[in-house]
Amino acid sequence: MEQNKPNGAECSVGSAPRHIAFIMDGNGRWAKKRGMPREYGHVQGAKVFRRIIEYCGDIGIEIVTVYALSTENYAKRPKKEIDTILTLFEEYLTDAERDAPSRDLRVCFIGDRSIFAPDIRERMAALERATMSRKKRLNVAINYGGRAELVAAFNKLIASGKTNVTEADIEAALYTAGCPDPDIIVRTGAEMRLSNFLLWQSAYSELYFTDTLWPDFTESEVDKIIADFKGRKRRYGAAE
Ligand code: FPP
């Protein structure tokens, strides 16, 4: 059935995922366990984020998406914590700008950018433009919400004059337009939910939950997850 085909990310049993998405959960608890403020967990989490995206690239994963900040986190967490995450984000942006000429990595930002000052928004757009022809891709979800993404997409379609939409129209209006859907979504931190992450794109994603808190997450756990994924049979609604 044409309408139920996943967006580009078809993998058969035994093949590695093309696209892995991470819900990087557990930073706060990791810090609390050490008697440290939550912000310390995010600082450590940002280091692990850099290591894991590097590793995924090294082992040939084509697309990685990370959930760095949800719209709900932004609205509901103390300013100090949000400021720390936004500072870590800006540090990553600076490093990505520096590394862009020498790395085969397309960097994309998904989410509502209105929280950023115009100069940061311009730097985000410039990095996206400068890296848009690279083969490997990183999507950083920042001030991202899956429902907000869908609402924005529907409003875009209404504004374009459409009165009847297809799945392809909606896909093309999302922040992730043109990007294959995640083959697997990994959530660390012992919670088993998607928390408003990639609601449209996750229709046929495999899900993997681990108790490991994000700052303790390692490359060998990525290997374990890929091995687990390779054993899964994806049917996309078809019979066995
Ligand atoms: C969830 O853990 C994590 C976040 C809300 C922030 C994730 C941010 C990073 C990993 C660092 C920044 C990365 C970039 C790219 C800027 P939590 O705080 O909800 O943990 P808890 O459930 O233990 O409280």
Side-chain angles (χ1 to χ4, degrees), residues 24-29 38 42 45-46 49 68 73 77 88-89:
M24 306 182 287
D25 195 17
N27 293 348
R29 277 166 286 161
R38 296 178 56 80
H42 296 313
F49 149 75
N73 295 151
R77 294 203 181 189
L88 292 166
F89 171 75

Side-chain angles (χ1 to χ4, degrees), residues 23-31 38 41-47 49 66-70 73 77 81 84-90 92 140-142 187 189 191 213-214:
I23 302 177
M24 306 182 287
D25 195 17
N27 293 348
R29 277 166 286 161
W30 184 89
R38 296 178 56 80
H42 296 313
V43 170
Q44 193 58 32
K47 291 183 189 158
F49 149 75
V66 292
Y67 205 3
L69 183 70
S70 72
N73 295 151
R77 294 203 181 189
E81 183 173 346
T84 299
I85 295 172
L86 294 180
T87 300
L88 292 166
F89 171 75
E90 284 182 38
Y92 175 69
V140 180
I142 187 100
R187 181 173 187 145
E191 304 284 3
L213 303 175
W214 178 257

